[in-house]
Amino acid sequence: MSGDGSAPVVRIKDLHKSFGDLHVLTGLNLEVRPGECLGIMGGSGTGKSVALRHVIGLMEPDSGTVEVFGKEVAALSTKELRALRRRVGYVFQEGALVGWLTVEDNLALPLRERGKLSEPEIQERVAEALETVHVTGAGKNFPAEISGGMKKRVSIARALITRPELVLYDEPNAGLDPEISRSINALMREVSDKLGVTSLVVEHRIECLQRVADRVLFVHEGKVLVDEPTEAFFQPSHPRLRAFLGYQQEPAR
Amino acid sequence: MNPDSLPSWWPLLLTVLFAAALSHAIWNSNGPRALLEEAGARLVLLAAVFARLHHLPKRRGWLLIQVRSAAIGNLHVISLVGVFIGMIFALQAGIELARFGQQDQIGPLVAAGIAREMGPFITALVLASTYGSAMAAEMGTMAVSDELTALEVMSIDRISLLVLPRVVALAIVCPAMTVISDMVGIIGGGFVASAQLGVGWDLYLDSAFTSLSGLGQTIPIPKDVFGGLFKSFCFGIAVALISCASGISARGGALGVGRATSRAVRDATITIIVANYFLTWMIYR
Ligand SMILES: Nc1ncnc2c1ncn2[C@@H]1O[C@H](COP(=O)(O)OP(=O)(O)O)[C@@H](O)[C@H]1O
Ligand SMILES: [Mg+2]
């Protein structure tokens, strides 16, 4: 971890982003502290993915700042951005594994491209990563040949293989049935606890964040409305969040 | 219709129609500015590929795979098309030559026509429609399924990994396939020459190959063959570059991939035809 232990890993200040007339983020503020797993909850199309894209430097803010590891992402040179991205893992919603590479080659790709490790070392890391995500025996398969849950595991493994300090998850439960979702959530929790990786999880499924997050934010119309530890978050008092979570008039169960 | 009976404004009408069609095309392509920007982006991509040529040793595995699938996958198409092009050419030229009793000249005529023009041209068109479309679809699928973004996020050089091997592969395969289509084309012309025009095989082949062996002044290899192959080389690069670029810029799911693919084939075809004129002018003026 860079700097002193208490400095936030990600700090987003007053982030605004519009696409034409569509104001997606309207003053988003958040901090991710070292070692924690922060969940962001919000409906579809509220700009959760857009926020993540700012963190990894795929988009630039209209105004406001996004700092990762204490550096303002939009102000980095290409080289510095590359260096920053090497410290971050990104798990895409659809997995985004390279279709023409086997599972093993997908995992080895970032290491091979970086060219720092020898081939035996890479093989070792790949095997280790597959073990971490509890995938064995599918290494020689292509992504199209494995199940959705397996794909998600492999994409988590790919995000972890470079040993990042921060992992971003974009809707990790999307497209998975409840049982597989639970196992993926358990895996994410395991990664966060065992490897001590800081995590930022974007999801609209209650169960996922309940299981995985230490703290949850509720984003509505481009702003953070609620910021609570997980337990308290799911006993909501804010009317908008109550409506979102499906609580009617009766008090929280 | 007798040309004399056409009114004098006939060429003017043609010109106006042509101009109208052209402006319609430019209008539909989001204006000339977008067109220029697109062309500029492709030149930038070409420069980026050149700047990464030293990565080739590292990419030889992918290069080999691309070469193999581009060459072997299309060999039968090129051969079939090549034979028929040779036959058509011989037939058309033969009919005219026979009128003057000059059918003995069919060999050199077919050889030059194919080596200079039809071989490179048809090979590039076939590769654009078969392999170019496949490349655009592959890259487009990667683009719309976030795979390209994933590579970017992992700080992987996508041009070096994806575009470089494809461009170099077609720069090799296109001329190589042209040699094949030249050869089968000349042989196809021979079928027609011997079966339909009564020119002997020996005379045909002998005169065909003799005519091709005239060496160029600057480069001591047969000029017609070299000129054709140089064109092929350029066409190959253009096809790969255009296909990759339109694939990479695909957006919006399966529909976007479809659009990118058809745009790739369209643009490659136009580029081959237009570039053919300018390359021909450069080489043979
Ligand atoms: N690159 C873009 N160009 C235009 N509009 C975009 C772009 N990215 C996202 N949007 C729009 O921003 C809104 C928020 O998108 P997103 O962050 O993907 O939502 P979600 O919270 O479901 O992840 C959507 O309406 C989407 O259409
Ligand atoms: Mg999203």
Side-chain angles (χ1 to χ4, degrees), chain A residues 53 56 58 82 85-86 90 92 96-101 109-110 113-114 158, chain B residues 58-59 62 138 142 145-147 149-157 161-162:
Chain A
R53 279 168 188 261
I56 196 75
L58 289 170
R82 217 177 291 148
R85 283 174 174 169
R86 292 196 169 140
Y90 195 121
F92 284 83
L97 296 171
V98 177
W100 38 273
L101 291 177
L109 185 66
E113 290 294 312
R114 206 164 296 188
R158 182 178 68 178
Chain B
K58 197 167 80 177
R59 304 293 181 205
W62 293 123
E138 260 175 76
M142 292 188 75
S145 63
D146 271 341
E147 288 173 44
T149 317
L151 294 179
E152 185 180 354
V153 164
M154 293 189 288
S155 293
I156 291 172
D157 185 343
L161 180 69
L162 301 171

Coordinates of all heavy atoms in Angstrom, one line a residue, chain A residues 53 56 58 82 85-86 90 92 96-101 109-110 113-114 158, chain B residues 58-59 62 138 142 145-147 149-157 161-162:
Chain A
R53 N -15.2 3.4 -14.7 CA -14.4 3.8 -15.8 C -13.5 5.0 -15.5 O -12.4 5.1 -16.1 CB -15.2 4.0 -17.1 CG -15.6 2.7 -17.7 CD -16.6 2.8 -18.8 NE -17.0 1.4 -19.1 CZ -16.5 0.8 -20.2 NH1 -15.7 1.4 -21.1 NH2 -16.8 -0.5 -20.5
I56 N -10.4 3.9 -13.5 CA -9.3 3.2 -14.2 C -8.8 4.1 -15.4 O -7.9 3.6 -16.2 CB -9.8 1.8 -14.7 CG1 -8.7 0.9 -15.1 CG2 -10.8 1.9 -15.8 CD1 -7.9 0.4 -13.9
L58 N -10.5 5.3 -18.1 CA -11.1 5.1 -19.4 C -11.9 6.2 -19.8 O -12.3 6.4 -21.0 CB -11.9 3.8 -19.4 CG -11.2 2.5 -19.3 CD1 -12.1 1.3 -19.1 CD2 -10.3 2.2 -20.6
R82 N -0.4 3.8 -17.3 CA -0.1 2.4 -17.5 C 0.4 1.8 -16.1 O 0.0 0.7 -15.7 CB 1.0 2.2 -18.6 CG 0.7 1.0 -19.4 CD 1.7 0.9 -20.5 NE 1.5 1.9 -21.6 CZ 2.6 2.4 -22.3 NH1 3.8 2.0 -22.0 NH2 2.3 3.3 -23.2
R85 N -2.5 1.5 -13.8 CA -3.4 0.4 -14.1 C -2.8 -1.0 -13.7 O -3.6 -1.9 -13.5 CB -3.7 0.4 -15.6 CG -4.7 1.4 -16.0 CD -4.8 1.5 -17.5 NE -5.9 2.5 -17.9 CZ -6.1 2.9 -19.1 NH1 -5.3 2.5 -20.1 NH2 -7.1 3.7 -19.4
R86 N -1.5 -1.1 -13.7 CA -0.9 -2.3 -13.3 C -1.2 -2.7 -11.8 O -1.0 -3.8 -11.4 CB 0.6 -2.3 -13.5 CG 0.9 -2.2 -15.0 CD 2.3 -2.5 -15.4 NE 2.3 -2.7 -16.8 CZ 3.3 -2.2 -17.6 NH1 4.3 -1.7 -17.1 NH2 3.2 -2.4 -18.9
Y90 N -9.5 -5.3 -12.9 CA -10.9 -4.9 -13.3 C -11.6 -6.1 -13.7 O -11.2 -6.8 -14.6 CB -10.8 -3.9 -14.4 CG -12.0 -3.1 -14.7 CD1 -12.0 -1.7 -14.6 CD2 -13.2 -3.7 -15.1 CE1 -13.1 -0.9 -14.9 CE2 -14.3 -3.0 -15.4 CZ -14.3 -1.6 -15.3 OH -15.4 -0.8 -15.6
F92 N -14.8 -7.3 -15.5 CA -15.9 -6.8 -16.3 C -17.2 -7.6 -16.2 O -17.2 -8.8 -15.8 CB -15.4 -6.9 -17.8 CG -14.5 -5.8 -18.2 CD1 -13.1 -6.0 -17.9 CD2 -14.9 -4.6 -18.7 CE1 -12.2 -5.0 -18.2 CE2 -14.0 -3.6 -19.0 CZ -12.6 -3.8 -18.8
A96 N -15.4 -10.5 -20.3 CA -14.4 -9.9 -21.3 C -13.1 -10.7 -21.4 O -12.1 -10.1 -21.6 CB -14.1 -8.4 -21.0
L97 N -13.3 -12.0 -21.4 CA -12.1 -12.8 -21.6 C -11.8 -12.9 -23.1 O -12.8 -12.7 -23.9 CB -12.3 -14.3 -21.1 CG -12.5 -14.4 -19.6 CD1 -13.0 -15.8 -19.3 CD2 -11.3 -14.1 -18.9
V98 N -10.6 -13.0 -23.5 CA -10.2 -13.0 -24.9 C -10.7 -14.3 -25.5 O -10.2 -15.4 -25.1 CB -8.7 -12.7 -25.1 CG1 -8.4 -12.8 -26.6 CG2 -8.3 -11.4 -24.5
G99 N -11.6 -14.2 -26.5 CA -12.3 -15.4 -27.0 C -11.4 -16.4 -27.7 O -11.6 -17.6 -27.7
W100 N -10.3 -16.0 -28.3 CA -9.4 -16.9 -29.1 C -8.2 -17.4 -28.3 O -7.3 -18.0 -28.8 CB -9.0 -16.2 -30.4 CG -8.7 -14.8 -30.3 CD1 -9.5 -13.7 -30.4 CD2 -7.4 -14.2 -30.0 NE1 -8.9 -12.6 -30.2 CE2 -7.6 -12.8 -29.9 CE3 -6.1 -14.7 -29.7 CZ2 -6.5 -11.9 -29.7 CZ3 -5.1 -13.9 -29.5 CH2 -5.3 -12.5 -29.5
L101 N -8.3 -17.1 -27.0 CA -7.2 -17.7 -26.1 C -7.8 -18.7 -25.1 O -9.0 -18.5 -24.6 CB -6.5 -16.6 -25.3 CG -5.6 -15.6 -26.1 CD1 -5.1 -14.5 -25.1 CD2 -4.5 -16.3 -26.8
L109 N -1.7 -14.0 -20.3 CA -1.5 -12.9 -21.3 C -0.9 -11.7 -20.6 O 0.1 -11.1 -21.0 CB -2.8 -12.6 -22.0 CG -2.7 -11.5 -23.0 CD1 -1.9 -11.9 -24.2 CD2 -4.1 -11.1 -23.6
P110 N -1.6 -11.2 -19.5 CA -1.0 -9.9 -18.9 C 0.4 -10.1 -18.4 O 1.3 -9.2 -18.5 CB -1.9 -9.6 -17.7 CG -2.9 -10.7 -17.6 CD -2.8 -11.6 -18.8
E113 N 2.8 -10.3 -21.6 CA 2.9 -9.0 -22.2 C 3.8 -8.1 -21.4 O 4.5 -7.3 -21.9 CB 1.5 -8.3 -22.4 CG 0.7 -9.0 -23.4 CD 1.2 -8.9 -24.8 OE1 1.6 -7.8 -25.2 OE2 1.3 -9.9 -25.5
R114 N 3.8 -8.3 -20.1 CA 4.6 -7.5 -19.2 C 6.1 -7.9 -19.3 O 7.0 -7.1 -19.1 CB 4.1 -7.6 -17.8 CG 4.5 -6.4 -17.0 CD 3.6 -6.3 -15.7 NE 2.2 -6.2 -16.0 CZ 1.3 -5.9 -15.0 NH1 1.7 -5.9 -13.8 NH2 0.0 -5.8 -15.3
R158 N -8.0 -13.5 -13.6 CA -7.2 -12.7 -14.5 C -7.0 -11.3 -13.9 O -5.9 -10.7 -14.0 CB -7.9 -12.5 -15.8 CG -7.1 -11.7 -16.8 CD -7.8 -11.5 -18.2 NE -8.9 -10.7 -18.1 CZ -9.7 -10.3 -19.2 NH1 -9.3 -10.8 -20.4 NH2 -10.8 -9.6 -19.0
Chain B
K58 N 8.5 -11.3 -31.4 CA 7.7 -11.7 -30.3 C 6.3 -12.2 -30.8 O 5.7 -13.0 -30.2 CB 7.5 -10.5 -29.4 CG 7.0 -10.9 -28.0 CD 7.2 -9.7 -27.0 CE 6.1 -8.7 -27.2 NZ 6.1 -7.6 -26.2
R59 N 5.9 -11.7 -31.9 CA 4.5 -12.0 -32.4 C 4.5 -13.0 -33.5 O 3.5 -13.2 -34.2 CB 3.9 -10.7 -33.0 CG 3.8 -9.6 -32.1 CD 2.9 -9.8 -30.9 NE 2.8 -8.7 -30.0 CZ 2.5 -8.8 -28.7 NH1 2.2 -10.0 -28.2 NH2 2.4 -7.7 -28.0
W62 N 1.6 -15.6 -33.6 CA 0.3 -15.1 -34.1 C 0.4 -14.8 -35.6 O -0.6 -15.0 -36.3 CB -0.1 -13.8 -33.4 CG -0.4 -14.1 -31.9 CD1 0.1 -13.5 -30.8 CD2 -1.4 -15.0 -31.4 NE1 -0.4 -14.0 -29.7 CE2 -1.3 -15.0 -30.0 CE3 -2.3 -15.9 -32.0 CZ2 -2.1 -15.8 -29.2 CZ3 -3.0 -16.7 -31.2 CH2 -3.0 -16.6 -29.8
E138 N -14.1 -10.4 -36.2 CA -13.3 -10.8 -35.0 C -13.0 -9.6 -34.1 O -13.3 -9.6 -32.9 CB -12.0 -11.3 -35.4 CG -11.8 -12.8 -35.4 CD -10.5 -13.2 -36.0 OE1 -9.5 -13.1 -35.2 OE2 -10.4 -13.6 -37.2
M142 N -14.6 -8.4 -30.4 CA -13.8 -8.1 -29.2 C -14.2 -6.7 -28.7 O -14.2 -6.4 -27.5 CB -12.3 -8.1 -29.6 CG -11.8 -9.5 -29.9 SD -10.0 -9.5 -30.1 CE -9.5 -9.3 -28.4
S145 N -17.7 -6.7 -26.9 CA -17.8 -7.5 -25.7 C -16.7 -7.0 -24.6 O -16.4 -7.8 -23.7 CB -17.6 -9.0 -26.0 OG -16.3 -9.2 -26.5
D146 N -16.2 -5.8 -24.8 CA -15.3 -5.2 -23.8 C -14.0 -5.9 -23.7 O -13.1 -5.6 -22.9 CB -15.9 -5.3 -22.4 CG -16.7 -4.1 -22.0 OD1 -16.6 -3.1 -22.7 OD2 -17.5 -4.1 -21.1
E147 N -13.7 -6.8 -24.7 CA -12.4 -7.5 -24.6 C -11.3 -6.5 -24.9 O -10.2 -6.5 -24.3 CB -12.3 -8.6 -25.7 CG -13.1 -9.8 -25.2 CD -13.2 -10.9 -26.3 OE1 -12.2 -11.2 -26.9 OE2 -14.3 -11.4 -26.5
T149 N -11.4 -3.3 -24.3 CA -11.2 -2.4 -23.1 C -10.4 -3.2 -22.1 O -9.6 -2.6 -21.4 CB -12.6 -2.0 -22.6 OG1 -13.4 -1.7 -23.7 CG2 -12.5 -0.9 -21.6
A150 N -10.7 -4.5 -21.9 CA -10.0 -5.3 -20.9 C -8.5 -5.2 -21.2 O -7.7 -5.1 -20.3 CB -10.5 -6.7 -20.9
L151 N -8.2 -5.4 -22.5 CA -6.7 -5.4 -22.8 C -6.1 -4.0 -22.5 O -5.0 -3.9 -22.0 CB -6.5 -5.6 -24.3 CG -6.9 -7.0 -24.8 CD1 -6.7 -7.2 -26.3 CD2 -6.1 -8.1 -24.1
E152 N -6.9 -3.0 -22.8 CA -6.4 -1.6 -22.5 C -6.2 -1.4 -21.0 O -5.2 -0.9 -20.5 CB -7.4 -0.6 -23.0 CG -6.8 0.9 -22.8 CD -7.8 1.9 -23.3 OE1 -8.8 1.6 -23.9 OE2 -7.5 3.1 -23.1
V153 N -7.1 -1.9 -20.2 CA -7.0 -1.8 -18.7 C -5.9 -2.6 -18.2 O -5.2 -2.2 -17.2 CB -8.4 -2.3 -18.1 CG1 -8.2 -2.5 -16.6 CG2 -9.5 -1.2 -18.3
M154 N -5.5 -3.7 -18.9 CA -4.4 -4.5 -18.4 C -3.1 -3.9 -19.0 O -2.0 -4.6 -18.9 CB -4.6 -5.9 -18.8 CG -5.7 -6.6 -18.1 SD -5.8 -8.4 -18.4 CE -6.3 -8.5 -20.0
S155 N -3.1 -2.7 -19.6 CA -2.0 -2.1 -20.2 C -1.3 -3.0 -21.3 O -0.1 -3.0 -21.4 CB -0.9 -1.7 -19.2 OG -1.4 -0.7 -18.3
I156 N -2.1 -3.7 -22.0 CA -1.6 -4.5 -23.1 C -1.6 -3.7 -24.4 O -2.7 -3.1 -24.7 CB -2.4 -5.9 -23.2 CG1 -2.0 -6.7 -22.0 CG2 -2.0 -6.6 -24.5 CD1 -2.9 -7.9 -21.8
D157 N -0.6 -3.8 -25.2 CA -0.5 -3.0 -26.4 C -1.3 -3.7 -27.5 O -0.9 -4.7 -28.1 CB 1.0 -3.0 -26.8 CG 1.2 -2.1 -28.1 OD1 0.2 -1.8 -28.8 OD2 2.4 -1.7 -28.3
L161 N -0.4 -6.5 -30.4 CA -1.0 -7.9 -30.2 C -1.9 -8.3 -31.4 O -1.9 -9.4 -31.9 CB -1.7 -8.0 -28.9 CG -2.3 -9.3 -28.6 CD1 -1.3 -10.4 -28.3 CD2 -3.3 -9.2 -27.4
L162 N -2.7 -7.4 -31.8 CA -3.8 -7.7 -32.7 C -3.6 -7.2 -34.1 O -3.8 -8.0 -35.1 CB -5.1 -7.1 -32.2 CG -5.6 -7.6 -30.8 CD1 -6.8 -6.8 -30.3 CD2 -5.9 -9.1 -30.8

